[in-house]
Amino acid sequence: MEKQKFVVIGAGPVGALAALYAAGRGFDVEVYELRGDLRDPQVVPLNFTRSINLAMSERGINALKHANIPGLVDSIMTETIPMHGRMIHGVDNGSFTEESQNYDIHGRFISAVDRAGLNKRLLDELDKLPNVKMFFNYKLTGADFRAKRAWFEERSKPLTDHAQNPSEIQDAPPRATEIEVAFDFMLGCDGAHSAVRYHLMKYTRMDYTQSYIDTLWCEFHIDPTPSTAGTSEGDFKISPNHLHIWPGREFMFIAIPSSDKSFTSTLFLPAHHFAHLDANPSELVPFFNRYFPGVAGRLISESDLQKQYTENPHLPLITIKCSPHHYASSAVILGDAAHAMVPFYGQGMNAGLEDVRVLFSFLDAAAPTPEGRTSALAAYSTQRTPDASAICDLALRNYQEMRADVASPIYKFRKWVEEKLSVAVPRLGWATQYSRISFGNQRYSEVERLAQRQGGVLLWSMTGFVGLLATGAVYGAWAWWRWNRAAATSRGLLKGGIGLTAIGERIGRVFL
Ligand code: FAD
C-alpha cells in the first residue's frame, strides 16, 4: 500500500496521542485543531477557566506507555500528585470532620494530572517528528468519506476567548478562508460536539443518543496557604493525597490537588438550585456552610466564593453514545467524540486514551491494505461500542456513590467485604468495581458484568444472613409472645417486619 496520510481532527489529549501512535508507525500525519496552540499563553483550554487537573488512572497511563516514547510516561508522572483515596468531609457537633477512604486495599492510587500540561507534553513530542504537521486555528467544516476529502476554515483570528459552551465555537461565524485536504484515514478526536461525527452520520447508519443530566457544574479554585516568612510558597490547605468530597446527597462539592499546592474544585448542583442561588446571591455562603462545611471562609474566602460562583460558567453535563464509531476504511471517532460521559468516574480522558491503544492494536493486527483497515475498524467498533456504553452508564451511576453512598454504612460494608475477599481468597478473583475500572485494563463491559454478578452473590448472601437473623428474631418473639400472651407483641412484630423490609430495600439499591 502507498504511504498513507492520516488526518487527525482535534489536538486535545486524545487527538495528540492518536497522532503520536500514527506517526510512530510511519504514516504521514496532519493534525488540525480549531483553537490556537495550547502552548501559547494566550490560549485558554476549551471549557475551563484555566488549566485544570484531572484524575488519571491505569488505562490512560497504559495507553501513554504504548506510544513507546522513551521518557514520556516518567516525565508526565513526575508532575502528577498521587491520590490514595477519597476524603469525605462533614461536620459533627459543630466540628469539621474528615474521613479518609482508601481507593484500594493493595495501595494503588489514581493521579491528579494537569490536563493542559499533559496535552502540551504530547504536542511537544509531535513537534519532534518529521512526519507530523500541525495546523492550529483550522476548523473542520465538511468531509466526504467516500472521496476522502475534507474542508477546513483557516481562521484569521484565533479563538482565544473562553467558550461558555463548546457548541458555540462550532457555530461561530466564519472569519476564514477555506482549504481542501485529501486524506486516506481520518481520526475524529474533536470532542463531545464533534464535527467528524456529524459528517460521519451521513455515511453510516449511526445510532446516536445524547442526554443531559439535571446537574450543572461550576469550577472553583482553592489557593494554597499564604507563604510565611522564610518560605517562598504556601502549602496545601487540605491533604494533597486525596480527592476531597463534600457529599450533599442530591449534589456535591469536590476538590483535586494541583502541583502548585492549590486545588481545582467543582460544584455539581441541580439546575434549579443554581437558578435559586443566581436569584438570591446572599444565600450562597449559607448554602455552602450548610452542605459543604468548612469550605466558605476557611478554604475559599466568602468574597472569592461569591466572585467565582458569579464569574465562572455553569456548564451542562452530557452523555453521548453512538454506534458504529467508524466508516469503511476512511474514518473513526475517538474520545469524547465517540463517547462523552459525565465526569463521576474520572474516566472520560482515560477512556479516550484507551480508545487509541485499542484502535491501533486492531490496526496493527490487520493487513496493511484498505480492506484490512475496513475489517480492523469494523472489529474495533464491535468491541469498543459496548465498552464505551458501559463506562458512560457506570459514570452516571457513580454520581450516586460520590454524592451520597460514600457516607452510607451499607456502601462501606460492601467495599469492606469485597476488599477482604480479594485478599483472603484471591483465587475467587473478587475486586471492587472501582479498582477494576481504575487500576486495570479489563474491558469496561466485562467490569460491569462482573460487578453485577458480585453484587448479586453478595445480595443473596446478605439476604440469607438477614433471613436467618429474622427467622431467629421471629422465633424468639413468638416464644416470648407465647410466654407472655400479650397482644401488644404482635404490633411489635408488625413494626419489625416493616423495618426489615426497608433495610432490605436499601441493601438492594447498593448491591444491584
Ligand atoms: P477534547 O479535550 O474536547 O478535545 C477536542 C479538541 O478538538 C479540542 O481541542 C477542540 O478545540 C478541537 N475541535 C473541536 N471541534 C473541532 C473542529 N471542528 N475542527 C478542528 N478541531 C476541533 N476525564 C478523566 O479521565 N478524568 C477526570 O478526572 C475528568 N474530570 C473531568 C471533569 C470535568 C468537570 C469535565 C467536564 C470533564 C472531565 N473529564 C475527566 C473528561 C475529560 O476532560 C475529557 O474526556 C477529555 O478532555 C476528552 O478529550 P478529547 O481529546 O476526546 O476531547
Side-chain angles (χ1 to χ4, degrees):
M1 190 158 68
E2 274 176 35
K3 197 164 185 196
Q4 296 276 295
K5 180 162 141 191
F6 282 24
V7 166
V8 178
I9 311 300
V14 175
L17 187 68
L20 281 173
Y21 269 63
R25 282 154 178 79
F27 299 110
D28 281 334
V29 179
E30 290 181 1
V31 182
Y32 291 87
E33 165 57 47
L34 164 70
R35 300 173 71 84
D37 188 339
L38 200 62
R39 293 162 295 179
D40 172 350
Q42 295 293 307
V43 175
V44 178
L46 179 65
N47 237 345
F48 300 100
T49 54
R50 62 174 84 210
S51 171
I52 65 138
N53 37 23
L54 303 178
M56 189 159 72
S57 48
E58 166 59 21
R59 292 167 199 269
I61 298 167
N62 191 32
L64 292 170
K65 280 184 190 153
H66 278 81
N68 292 325
I69 297 171
L72 175 69
V73 175
D74 288 344
S75 70
I76 290 170
M77 295 314 287
T78 51
E79 300 295 319
T80 63
I81 301 178
M83 294 187 288
H84 291 275
R86 294 167 174 158
M87 186 71 88
I88 313 302
H89 292 257
V91 70
D92 189 20
N93 273 333
S95 309
F96 301 130
T97 58
E98 291 186 334
E99 182 199 334
S100 170
Q101 293 179 359
N102 278 357
Y103 279 127
D104 185 50
I105 195 164
H106 305 286
R108 290 170 295 184
F109 52 84
I110 57 175
S111 301
V113 65
D114 174 36
R115 181 189 178 282
L118 167 69
N119 207 159
K120 286 175 190 168
R121 185 72 190 79
L122 298 177
L123 295 176
D124 285 344
E125 285 301 327
L126 285 171
D127 268 346
K128 296 179 194 165
L129 302 174
N131 51 338
V132 177
K133 291 189 190 125
M134 284 195 275
F135 301 87
F136 292 100
N137 301 308
Y138 279 80
K139 173 183 169 186
L140 179 87
T141 53
D144 181 332
F145 294 114
R146 277 191 207 97
K148 298 181 189 163
R149 290 268 183 286
W151 294 272
F152 296 86
E153 274 174 17
E154 182 191 356
R155 310 183 75 91
S156 48
K157 179 178 175 294
L159 275 165
T160 54
D161 48 334
H162 170 66
Q164 291 275 328
N165 179 343
S167 61
E168 286 167 16
I169 302 187
Q170 298 281 5
D171 297 339
R175 295 173 286 193
T177 48
E178 190 174 80
I179 59 160
E180 183 178 295
V181 172
F183 62 89
D184 295 298
F185 183 37
M186 178 180 284
L187 297 103
C189 312
D190 50 345
H193 299 276
S194 168
V196 179
R197 185 185 64 228
Y198 172 76
H199 294 293
L200 205 55
M201 285 176 179
K202 301 175 212 160
Y203 290 82
T204 181
R205 287 177 291 136
M206 183 187 280
D207 290 329
Y208 173 81
T209 59
Q210 73 170 47
S211 50
Y212 288 96
I213 57 169
D214 182 35
T215 291
L216 305 177
W217 64 279
C218 175
E219 184 196 311
F220 288 83
H221 190 72
I222 300 176
D223 289 326
T225 56
S227 53
T228 47
T231 57
S232 57
E233 53 176 25
D235 206 350
F236 290 102
K237 280 187 179 153
I238 41 179
S239 160
N241 298 119
H242 286 90
L243 190 153
H244 295 264
I245 305 180
W246 284 259
R249 295 209 68 78
E250 298 305 316
F251 38 75
M252 66 177 181
F253 186 76
I254 66 164
I256 299 183
S258 310
S259 49
D260 65 358
K261 300 189 175 168
S262 67
F263 286 83
T264 301
S265 302
T266 316
L267 169 66
F268 295 98
L269 198 64
H272 69 273
H273 277 288
F274 268 111
H276 181 79
L277 292 173
D278 290 350
N280 304 280
S282 63
E283 289 185 25
L284 182 71
V285 171
F287 179 83
F288 263 74
N289 288 340
R290 178 162 179 207
Y291 294 108
F292 313 130
V295 173
R298 192 172 67 115
L299 301 182
I300 308 176
S301 73
E302 292 184 4
S303 56
D304 256 4
L305 193 77
Q306 199 82 55
K307 186 166 179 282
Q308 296 185 35
Y309 177 87
T310 313
E311 287 181 0
N312 293 348
H314 305 163
L315 294 164
L317 291 168
I318 196 169
T319 299
I320 291 177
K321 295 180 178 180
C322 62
S323 176
H325 289 176
H326 78 291
Y327 171 69
S329 69
S330 60
V332 70
I333 45 175
L334 306 169
D336 277 16
H339 47 67
M341 66 194 75
V342 294
F344 305 118
Y345 229 122
Q347 283 294 309
M349 182 185 72
N350 285 289
L353 299 178
E354 187 179 62
D355 286 347
V356 177
R357 178 183 66 75
V358 176
L359 170 69
F360 278 88
S361 72
F362 278 100
L363 292 175
D364 290 347
T369 58
E371 296 72 32
R373 190 159 62 231
T374 305
S375 315
L377 292 180
Y380 169 77
S381 261
T382 304
Q383 168 163 327
R384 203 57 186 162
T385 46
D387 288 341
S389 170
I391 188 58
C392 286
D393 293 342
L394 291 171
L396 275 169
R397 270 182 246 147
N398 216 45
Y399 189 27
Q400 164 73 21
E401 177 169 321
M402 286 181 87
R403 67 183 153 83
D405 291 349
V406 284
S408 126
I410 296 172
Y411 162 80
K412 289 183 209 167
F413 178 68
R414 175 176 176 171
K415 182 171 182 291
W416 180 82
V417 171
E418 288 180 326
E419 290 190 331
K420 289 290 173 221
L421 278 175
S422 78
V423 173
V425 205
R427 74 197 150 80
L428 277 182
W430 274 46
T432 61
Q433 177 178 283
Y434 190 90
S435 68
R436 288 187 206 275
I437 293 286
S438 301
F439 306 125
N441 293 290
Q442 218 167 8
R443 290 181 55 188
Y444 287 121
S445 55
E446 180 67 1
V447 172
E448 193 181 29
R449 195 184 63 75
L450 288 171
Q452 270 168 6
R453 203 184 63 186
Q454 251 176 237
V457 172
L458 273 177
L459 180 63
W460 282 111
S461 317
M462 291 282 296
T463 310
F465 182 67
V466 171
L468 272 176
L469 280 182
T471 312
V474 169
Y475 179 74
W478 176 75
W480 187 80
W481 176 77
R482 268 193 41 165
W483 194 63
N484 273 288
R485 309 266 169 190
T489 314
S490 16
R491 283 201 300 276
L493 272 179
L494 186 62
K495 275 189 192 160
I498 293 170
L500 280 173
T501 314
I503 292 172
E505 236 181 77
R506 289 191 65 192
I507 293 173
R509 218 159 40 82
V510 172
F511 285 88
L512 291 176

